[in-house]
Amino acid sequence: MIPDPPDPEKIEAAGLSAWPALHSEFYDGWLLRYSNGYTKRANSINPTCPSTLPLHTKIDECRRRYADHHLPVVFRVTSLCAEPDLDDYLIRQHFQYSSLTKVMACSLSQTNRGAGLSSEFSFLSLDDWLSLFYHLSDFSTKFRDAHQAILSKICKQVVFLGLTSNGKYVACGMGVLDGHYFGLFSLLTKYKYRNQGFGSELVFALLNWALENDATYAYLQVQANNLPAIHLYQKHQFQPIYEYWYRIHSDTGNIQ
């Protein structure tokens, strides 16, 4: 029996749940998320339902609320957006376009499994995985506390993986299972070990875990200009299903 295709609306909901904000509130159908400035995704306005109030009224109120949190005003706009006129309005209000991202998904089956993986995998605690993530990357640890707090708030089943080759960690990633939907996040290979197949093995390992835990679909998010990563994910049968981007007001500061 051929499974139904992945549902973009369910994936959007699962993705928001899988990367929770430290604080959030609803305002006239919009989800406002605040996380001390760590990631645009967790510090953005998400128009999840149509407005009943005028856009200018809502945006003025959002400016006030985000100023209270010492955060820039950032909108996360999706191609599924419940506010069809919002993006054009934000352009007229001088909100700048940023970070076009593709959401890719696939239906899981035994064909997603990797046979004869050459690397070893470790299931890690949150603390150990986060230390490995910063060890393998060149990211600043400025927001590490906020990063850890976000991961600690995930209320779904989470798996943290580290990949080793010749006794050394070379890659890591995490996944979040929400019902039948499994999200892959923070896939990272240390720079000097890239283009050696470790990224593909990491994806295989996470998908294997998802299948063993009764997931039906997998999804991930990747910046549209990251062509090598998109090519890798397509090899694992992921296909784009929708997009999102950010609108950031020109008079506000940067956010990681």
Side-chain angles (χ1 to χ4, degrees), residues 28-42:
D28 189 40
W30 291 1
L31 175 62
L32 280 55
R33 290 155 56 91
Y34 316 98
S35 297
N36 298 335
Y38 182 67
T39 75
K40 293 189 287 293
R41 195 179 351 164

Side-chain angles (χ1 to χ4, degrees), residues 2-3 6 17 21 45 48 55 71 75 150 171 194 212 214 217 231:
I2 299 175
S17 178
I45 301 160
T48 54
L55 286 177
L71 291 170
F75 280 84
I150 287 171
R194 292 177 185 173
E212 290 168 359
D214 300 322
Y217 307 100
H231 181 65

Side-chain angles (χ1 to χ4, degrees), residues 73-245:
V73 181
V74 178
F75 280 84
R76 180 177 173 273
V77 184
T78 79
S79 55
L80 310 172
C81 188
E83 297 273 13
D85 299 325
L86 176 63
D87 202 47
D88 286 341
Y89 185 86
L90 293 175
I91 293 171
R92 295 195 297 272
Q93 296 299 310
H94 309 294
F95 281 77
Q96 303 300 312
Y97 180 79
S98 175
S99 306
L100 176 63
T101 301
K102 292 183 179 293
V103 180
M104 305 179 72
C106 68
S107 298
L108 291 175
S109 69
Q110 295 299 316
T111 59
N112 298 105
R113 288 185 174 273
L117 299 181
S118 60
S119 302
E120 295 184 358
F121 297 89
S122 302
F123 293 95
L124 302 175
S125 67
L126 168 55
D127 288 345
D128 288 344
W129 183 87
L130 200 61
S131 294
L132 176 60
F133 178 85
Y134 283 97
H135 171 71
L136 295 177
S137 73
D138 57 0
F139 298 139
S140 167
T141 58
K142 175 182 177 181
F143 291 99
R144 177 170 173 158
D145 288 347
H147 189 180
Q148 182 155 7
I150 287 171
L151 297 183
S152 298
K153 280 181 66 70
I154 299 172
C155 61
K156 307 299 181 180
Q157 189 173 2
V158 188
V159 59
F160 297 103
L161 281 184
L163 182 154
T164 58
S165 178
N166 295 322
K168 295 182 178 180
Y169 279 109
V170 297
C172 67
M174 58 172 284
V176 181
L177 181 61
D178 186 348
H180 293 295
Y181 285 85
F182 180 71
L184 289 75
F185 295 91
S186 302
L187 306 180
L188 174 68
T189 301
K190 190 174 180 65
Y191 184 79
K192 70 178 181 179
Y193 296 116
R194 292 177 185 173
N195 301 312
Q196 298 179 41
F198 296 124
S200 187
E201 294 205 344
L202 181 63
V203 172
F204 269 134
L206 287 166
L207 295 182
N208 286 349
W209 183 92
L211 280 163
E212 290 168 359
N213 286 272
D214 300 322
T216 305
Y217 307 100
Y219 69 92
L220 52 81
Q221 303 163 353
V222 57
Q223 291 211 359
N225 61 0
N226 191 347
L227 298 182
I230 291 173
H231 181 65
L232 166 64
Y233 302 143
Q234 287 175 331
K235 288 183 176 179
H236 291 271
Q237 304 173 29
F238 285 89
Q239 295 298 325
I241 59 169
Y242 69 97
E243 297 177 333
Y244 67 83
W245 55 95

